[in-house]
Amino acid sequence: MASDPAMTRSLERRAATLAVAAGVAIMAVKFVAWRMTGSSAVYSDAVESIVNVVASGFALWAIAQSHRPADRTHPYGHGRFEFVSMSVEGALIGAAGASIVWEAVHRMVSGEVAVQRIDWGVALIGATAAANAGLGWWLTSLGRRTGSAALAGDGRHLLSDALTSLAAIGALLAVRWSGMAWIDPLVAIAMAGVLVALGVRMVRRSLGELVDEQDAGDYETVSRILDSHVEGAAGARAPLIRGWHKLRTRHIGRHHWVEFHIQVDARTDVRTAHDVASAIEHEIELALGCGVDGGDATAHIEPAD
């Protein structure tokens, strides 16, 4: 997909649009189930669906922005927009968790814990869980293939939503079999804790990308390639260099940016040194899957004194 940016961009936009449309439909079904059952656990599941819809909308916007080519004001491209989307989604998930705790505690304190029409609730929430699981798996898989952090993040959130739906179903069944209605708000609070933890992880990852936290995987890959070209090393291969240093990598969504210094024989002419650097740059770009407009590797040439 990296070799056809137009196809990748079109596919990602269609996927994000589908996620928004499906999210609205699933949210409506969950709120119907909540109104029918009065369950705190179902309410927590429905509130998370609001976050899903908003987050999918942000993902659609972020994908459109991230595919814009590098320009004068954004020479490294617009890939960070996807991590802005992810950070907002993580914050919204945390807010949803707080709202769920408030509702569950209020119901426990007020004594309003009765749950009704459990069969209908199980059927409706079960259908939304299946829909979210299928859509989430597809978005996560597509995001990994295309390198879209926004799609992958949205997919992971939908998968977590499917799990919370299963927890809501478990709460409804537990109330039905045991007759203890207080189980329902307790499950809702536990679900809120899971949501908050997910939100914190998403914000942590997005902030790491936004502040240029170095990608350990990229650094290891590039280091291995550079080492394989050092003259005198076991199994060294052409083009040969005397050494390297000052390696810096950044990984922004689908884009990989690499900068490093290589040392060559001081007697090497400019054209030959340039050819050596270009060959190594190209090898690194292929190894990282940069593709068209997918990043860049830049070498600075120094004489080995």
Side-chain angles (χ1 to χ4, degrees):
M1 291 185 181
S3 61
D4 192 345
M7 181 180 295
T8 299
R9 180 169 57 252
S10 176
L11 180 59
E12 289 181 358
R13 286 180 176 176
R14 289 200 303 270
T17 302
L18 175 61
V20 173
V24 171
I26 291 171
M27 178 183 67
V29 173
K30 287 185 177 182
F31 272 101
V32 169
W34 170 56
R35 296 298 296 176
M36 293 179 68
T37 63
S39 164
S40 293
V42 174
Y43 170 80
S44 68
D45 204 21
V47 168
E48 187 179 1
S49 289
I50 298 176
V51 179
N52 286 346
V53 173
V54 175
S56 295
F58 267 107
L60 180 58
W61 167 80
I63 287 169
Q65 296 297 321
S66 66
H67 277 289
R68 292 166 56 193
D71 54 31
R72 182 178 178 183
T73 56
H74 296 84
Y76 288 99
H78 299 78
R80 291 189 192 276
F81 279 101
E82 295 202 41
F83 294 101
V84 172
S85 169
M86 186 184 297
S87 63
V88 171
E89 183 174 354
L92 289 174
I93 291 173
S99 171
I100 292 166
V101 171
W102 175 269
E103 169 67 13
V105 171
H106 170 73
R107 289 177 65 85
M108 292 179 69
V109 172
S110 64
E112 299 175 3
V113 293
V115 181
Q116 306 169 358
R117 298 180 181 178
I118 292 178
D119 291 340
W120 273 103
V122 170
L124 292 175
I125 298 301
T128 63
N132 271 331
L135 183 59
W137 177 84
W138 180 61
L139 289 177
T140 303
S141 177
L142 180 61
R144 288 172 178 169
R145 293 202 310 271
T146 63
S148 172
L151 275 186
D154 203 22
R156 285 192 295 269
H157 184 196
L158 290 176
L159 289 173
S160 73
D161 191 13
L163 293 177
T164 57
S165 294
L166 293 178
I169 292 173
L172 291 175
L173 293 177
V175 170
R176 179 176 181 178
W177 292 334
S178 69
M180 294 182 289
W182 54 266
I183 294 176
D184 178 62
L186 285 183
V187 171
I189 293 173
M191 292 164 64
V194 173
L195 288 180
V196 171
L198 174 63
V200 169
R201 286 199 300 271
M202 292 181 69
V203 171
R204 169 67 184 83
R205 184 190 170 198
S206 62
L207 291 180
E209 296 287 351
L210 289 172
V211 299
D212 279 340
E213 185 176 55
Q214 185 148 257
D215 188 308
D218 281 7
Y219 190 92
E220 181 180 352
T221 298
V222 177
S223 297
R224 187 168 57 251
I225 291 173
L226 292 174
D227 285 339
S228 70
H229 291 283
V230 175
E231 183 179 328
R237 53 196 176 85
L240 297 176
I241 59 177
R242 292 291 181 86
W244 61 271
H245 62 131
K246 291 187 178 180
L247 170 61
R248 293 182 295 181
T249 68
R250 59 171 67 176
H251 184 182
I252 307 171
R254 76 195 79 247
H255 305 288
H256 303 258
W257 304 95
V258 181
E259 299 172 358
F260 56 95
H261 292 202
I262 59 172
Q263 298 166 322
V264 300
D265 191 308
R267 296 166 296 180
T268 305
D269 62 86
V270 174
R271 179 174 294 278
T272 300
H274 174 267
D275 290 343
V276 169
S278 296
I280 295 176
E281 288 168 350
H282 182 61
E283 182 180 351
I284 290 172
E285 290 169 358
L286 288 178
L288 297 180
C290 291
V292 179
D293 193 33
D296 192 25
T298 304
H300 172 74
I301 304 169
E302 297 177 350
D305 295 330

